[in-house]
Amino acid sequence: MKRAESRQPRSALWLCGLLLAAAAVFGAVPAAAANKLDNAGCLSCHDGKKGKIEVPGKDGEKRALAHVDTRKFGMSIHSEMRCVACHQEITDSRAQHRKNPQAQAPNCITCHEQLWADARRDKLTQEKERLGLVVQNIADYRKSFHARPDADDPTRAKAFCEDCHGSHEFRVPPQGSERRTAWHKEIPETCGAKCHEDQLESYLESVHGEELVDKGNVKAAVCTDCHSAHRVVNTSTDNFKLANVNTCGDCHKKQLNSYTDTYHGQVNRLGYTYTARCVDCHRSHDVKAVEDPNSTVHPKNRMKTCMKCHSDKKPGMHDATPGFASFAPHATTDDFEKYPQMFIASKFMVALLIFVFAFFWAHSGLWYYREWKDRQAGKAPPHIDTKGLVLDTGKHFRRFPLGWRIAHLVFALVTMTLVLTGTSALYAESAWAPVVAKAVGGPKMLGLIHRVAAFLFIGIFMIHFVYVMQKLLRDRTFRWFGPDSLIPNWKDFADCWGMFKWFFGKGPRPLFDRWAYYEKFDYWAVFWGVNIIGWSGLMLAFPHVTAQFLPGWVFNVGTLVHGEEAFLAAVFLFTVHFFNNHFRPDKLPPPDVVMFTGTQSLEEFRHDHPAHYQRLVDSGEITQYLVDPPSRQFHGGSVALGLALIAVGLVLLLLVGVGFFTT
């Protein structure tokens, strides 16, 4: 009994061993059979010469397998691979293959990712850098529109690698080769034949299609140039709309540059898509040449195209008026024959900028140099004869009344607001402009703030002008070209000439009267700026009214002049004006607070305007202008306010400089 019990376990062990051996043998059969399968054997059936091969498809219906072109396969990048390297589920060469249920179906993604992982493990990334690009393309594909589930069959993606590349014949020919040209020309057919038939039909009739197909111009845009090959995204997204403008610009660089100078382009560069882009005017797949009568931008069709956006039916918009049709969205300043108005306006503005900056920057630099040299030499300022008049040196001279000071402060704040909001659009391509636009709520709010500030600017100017004129007209003793007038006179020209002689040590420093020539320039520059910036801005703010009476080229010139004059004003204010009033050696440390307190010490007044001082002393009128100095608190607050405004101005100057030199 005991011997029988001892034999039973041994029999069980032998039986288990036998079963395991059999399992190993039979399990190895598919692998061994697969190893014997070569490409020649596979192609003997799948080359299409023996008729089509059908396999069970979806819902029990049969589907035909695509045949493999042996010639194209032999030239493909996969030609040296065995068929079963991808089709690992195939275990035999029978007509109806026995398949290994545990094997993965062919998958381009997992295969290439594994190859790249092996290359990184073996430190062969440089030798196989092409694999790295493929893996990057895979990452882009996973985020793309094509990787989303298909609406008709959610079990598969909208498009997979095989749909575009064809794994049995895929090969990207070398750049510049004839095969590359042929491959490039096939891209529209690849995209259109299977999925995008309507778009292909439109493309073939477009100027791009005609260039590619009819003229053989491989530089003409194809599907992947606009949509990319692997980063295909939904065309309704803002990311695509923004990137699409740059895509057009890759080929049409000059047109992109001119587009970004327009309001449409500025909003686009700020990162918003509600203004017209390339496709809104030219369309997308059926782009026509401008001279083509069927083109949306042909002269006879432009108004219709403009009214897609400029229509009373759109919130905040108005119907396009006749001048819209002659607006040139791609006008440049270097083509006199096509755009004579832009050519002339640009040359005038460039000359104006060069003259103003060259003169006044040289003026400031030489002034600083001469004062520094005089201080080194210990020269004292000119002596003023008081003719025995006893003055209380503790008193201050009242130079500006309260109304002027308030107007100056509001004017300064409004001007800085205009500079910030205006240059954010002017330099929309800079790194800082989109940040400003987003901070205030977008370009629409940016434009609203700019317009409100502009109306305040003009309003303050008009109030000042009316006040001054009515006061002067009632003053029967006022001399329009006298020493108290802001109108330039011959003494101003003599003072300017004398100042330059002083700069070079060829004469004494001129004795300025109530208003120095550079102060008069500051004053009248506002009149010039209000008219140039104001009228051009008004025309641009109400385009439907402007275009009702004026041709479209006024928008081109208006945009140019408005931006260039604003640039001139901003840079002049924050360099020359700041120097003359705050950064001269005799004004350091800044700020000069006379425009905030309204008064200055007698010593300072006598130094800045000695002729005025002497005139008042001679007439005995100076005592009428003597007041108590501002309180310590008022003076301290004025200094703090002045420093804050100077800091804001210098920051704005920095932003303008960054925008000017980087865009």
Side-chain angles (χ1 to χ4, degrees):
M1 189 69 172
K2 289 181 180 180
R3 294 182 65 180
E5 289 176 355
S6 63
R7 282 198 300 266
Q8 193 172 4
R10 289 185 179 180
S11 301
L13 289 172
W14 277 99
L15 181 60
C16 289
L18 184 63
L19 291 173
L20 287 172
V25 171
F26 286 105
V29 169
N35 286 333
K36 293 180 179 179
L37 295 175
D38 57 14
N39 288 2
C42 296
L43 293 173
S44 65
C45 292
H46 290 275
D47 61 2
K49 296 178 180 179
K50 296 181 179 179
K52 65 179 180 180
I53 301 175
E54 293 185 332
V55 297
K58 188 178 179 181
D59 300 328
E61 298 179 358
K62 289 186 177 182
R63 65 180 180 89
L65 291 178
H67 72 273
V68 178
D69 188 317
T70 56
R71 185 184 64 84
K72 290 183 178 180
F73 176 72
M75 297 171 60
S76 76
I77 199 168
H78 296 142
S79 61
E80 296 182 2
M81 294 179 59
R82 297 176 63 218
C83 301
V84 292
C86 292
H87 298 278
Q88 297 178 13
E89 76 279 14
I90 304 301
T91 61
D92 59 34
S93 58
R94 297 190 309 175
Q96 296 296 329
H97 295 296
R98 181 187 298 169
K99 297 182 179 179
N100 180 3
Q102 297 179 348
Q104 290 186 344
N107 189 301
C108 304
I109 290 177
T110 56
C111 177
H112 286 94
E113 287 181 331
Q114 183 59 50
L115 290 172
W116 180 239
D118 293 342
R120 295 179 64 184
R121 181 197 62 204
D122 299 334
K123 298 181 179 180
L124 297 174
T125 53
Q126 290 186 348
E127 293 85 343
K128 299 183 178 182
E129 61 178 352
R130 182 73 183 174
L131 275 174
L133 176 61
V134 173
V135 171
Q136 179 59 54
N137 289 340
I138 291 171
D140 292 338
Y141 164 77
R142 284 185 165 134
K143 300 175 185 177
S144 74
F145 188 71
H146 281 160
R148 296 181 182 181
D150 184 70
D152 297 329
D153 184 4
T155 61
R156 59 159 291 156
K158 290 181 179 292
F160 197 62
C161 313
E162 181 71 21
D163 295 318
C164 302
H165 295 297
S167 56
H168 297 111
E169 55 193 52
F170 178 66
R171 181 177 185 83
V172 178
Q175 286 277 9
S177 65
E178 291 185 8
R179 285 184 296 164
R180 177 77 172 208
T181 301
W183 173 79
H184 185 81
K185 292 176 66 174
E186 292 173 359
I187 291 176
E189 187 68 24
T190 300
C191 297
K194 292 183 179 179
C195 303
H196 305 288
E197 296 92 344
D198 293 340
Q199 289 82 358
L200 175 61
E201 184 177 350
S202 298
Y203 171 81
L204 293 176
E205 295 177 356
S206 73
V207 66
H208 292 150
E210 290 176 0
E211 285 289 319
L212 180 74
V213 178
D214 299 340
K215 301 179 182 178
N217 181 9
V218 294
K219 293 183 179 181
V222 296
C223 314
T224 54
D225 291 317
C226 301
H227 297 278
S228 89
H230 301 93
R231 295 187 302 274
V232 180
V233 297
N234 192 327
T235 56
S236 62
T237 63
D238 283 347
N239 287 339
F240 176 83
K241 291 177 180 179
L242 293 171
N244 189 240
V245 172
N246 293 328
T247 301
C248 295
D250 288 341
C251 295
H252 306 284
K253 291 181 173 60
K254 191 173 183 179
Q255 287 77 6
L256 177 63
N257 290 335
S258 56
Y259 166 76
T260 54
D261 289 335
T262 67
Y263 175 73
H264 294 153
Q266 289 168 349
V267 171
N268 185 270
R269 298 293 90 173
L270 288 173
Y272 297 80
T273 61
Y274 61 81
T275 54
R277 298 171 294 114
C278 313
V279 296
D280 294 311
C281 299
H282 297 275
R283 298 182 63 84
S284 53
H285 298 102
D286 53 348
V287 179
K288 305 288 187 183
V290 177
E291 60 273 11
D292 189 327
N294 295 318
S295 170
T296 52
V297 293
H298 188 271
K300 72 174 186 180
N301 300 323
R302 285 180 188 171
M303 281 298 292
K304 183 178 179 181
T305 300
C306 292
M307 292 188 73
K308 290 194 301 182
C309 298
H310 294 273
S311 168
D312 287 337
K313 298 177 181 178
K314 297 288 185 71
M317 301 296 285
H318 300 277
D319 280 344
T321 44
F324 277 69
S326 56
F327 168 64
H330 297 295
T332 60
T333 59
D334 57 357
D335 190 338
F336 179 80
E337 290 187 7
K338 289 186 69 174
Y339 312 110
Q341 301 89 354
M342 287 287 284
F343 182 90
I344 295 171
S346 69
K347 297 301 177 286
F348 173 78
M349 291 306 301
V350 168
L352 179 64
L353 264 66
I354 291 175
F355 169 75
V356 171
F357 289 143
F359 181 86
F360 281 100
W361 284 350
H363 186 276
S364 299
L366 291 170
W367 192 343
Y368 191 94
Y369 168 78
R370 175 47 51 195
E371 289 222 18
W372 174 65
K373 294 292 288 185
D374 284 356
R375 286 193 176 196
Q376 277 190 326
K379 291 185 178 180
H383 176 69
I384 304 297
D385 183 12
T386 61
K387 294 186 178 181
L389 183 65
V390 179
L391 298 176
D392 184 354
T393 56
K395 292 288 187 176
H396 270 217
F397 180 82
R398 179 172 57 81
R399 183 158 168 77
F400 297 108
L402 179 62
W404 283 56
R405 288 145 50 196
I406 293 175
H408 176 271
L409 177 59
V410 177
F411 212 70
L413 295 173
V414 168
T415 300
M416 290 178 175
T417 303
L418 286 170
V419 170
L420 179 62
T421 54
T423 53
S424 294
L426 183 63
Y427 299 120
E429 292 183 274
S430 66
W432 60 266
V435 177
V436 173
K438 185 176 181 181
V440 301
K444 289 182 179 179
M445 183 56 66
L446 196 72
L448 177 62
I449 296 172
H450 190 76
R451 287 175 174 83
V452 170
F455 280 111
L456 289 174
F457 184 94
I458 295 173
I460 296 168
F461 171 81
M462 293 303 299
I463 292 171
H464 168 80
F465 180 74
V466 171
Y467 169 77
V468 171
M469 289 304 298
Q470 61 85 25
K471 187 175 182 180
L472 296 181
L473 290 173
R474 289 188 301 173
D475 187 353
R476 300 298 182 182
T477 63
F478 179 75
R479 289 185 297 160
W480 289 92
F481 292 95
D484 292 317
S485 175
L486 278 162
I487 298 175
N489 54 37
W490 288 115
K491 184 181 185 310
D492 295 313
F493 292 100
D495 285 347
C496 182
W497 177 250
M499 198 70 164
F500 274 90
K501 291 174 66 176
W502 174 65
F503 289 158
F504 292 100
K506 301 298 183 181
R509 176 174 171 172
L511 303 180
F512 298 125
D513 211 299
R514 183 174 182 178
W515 307 111
Y517 64 88
Y518 55 86
E519 291 175 326
K520 290 183 179 181
F521 185 90
D522 281 358
Y523 182 79
W524 289 103
V526 176
F527 281 76
W528 167 269
V530 165
N531 279 280
I532 298 299
I533 300 177
W535 285 110
S536 59
L538 200 63
M539 290 190 297
L540 296 172
F542 301 98
H544 61 291
V545 178
T546 303
Q548 183 70 45
F549 305 99
L550 298 173
W553 60 260
V554 299
F555 295 120
N556 299 112
V557 173
T559 301
L560 170 71
V561 171
H562 192 79
E564 295 293 302
E565 181 64 28
F567 171 80
L568 171 62
V571 176
F572 183 88
L573 280 173
F574 304 139
T575 57
V576 178
H577 182 72
F578 273 14
F579 173 82
N580 289 344
N581 293 278
H582 303 291
F583 293 113
R584 284 163 26 199
D586 57 334
K587 292 290 185 180
L588 297 176
D592 180 1
V593 295
V594 63
M595 191 48 92
F596 302 117
T597 63
T599 68
Q600 60 184 161
S601 69
L602 279 173
E603 184 63 30
E604 188 178 2
F605 170 56
R606 185 168 59 182
H607 174 72
D608 288 347
H609 300 276
H612 189 203
Y613 175 86
Q614 188 65 59
R615 186 160 54 86
L616 292 176
V617 168
D618 291 343
S619 65
E621 296 177 75
I622 192 168
T623 56
Q624 300 176 17
Y625 296 92
L626 298 182
V627 296
D628 292 329
S631 66
R632 185 175 181 180
Q633 294 80 1
F634 186 35
H635 181 269
S638 298
V639 170
L641 177 60
L643 290 175
L645 291 175
I646 290 173
V648 173
L650 294 178
V651 170
L652 291 173
L653 178 64
L654 176 63
L655 295 179
V656 170
V658 170
F660 180 81
F661 287 109
T662 61
T663 61

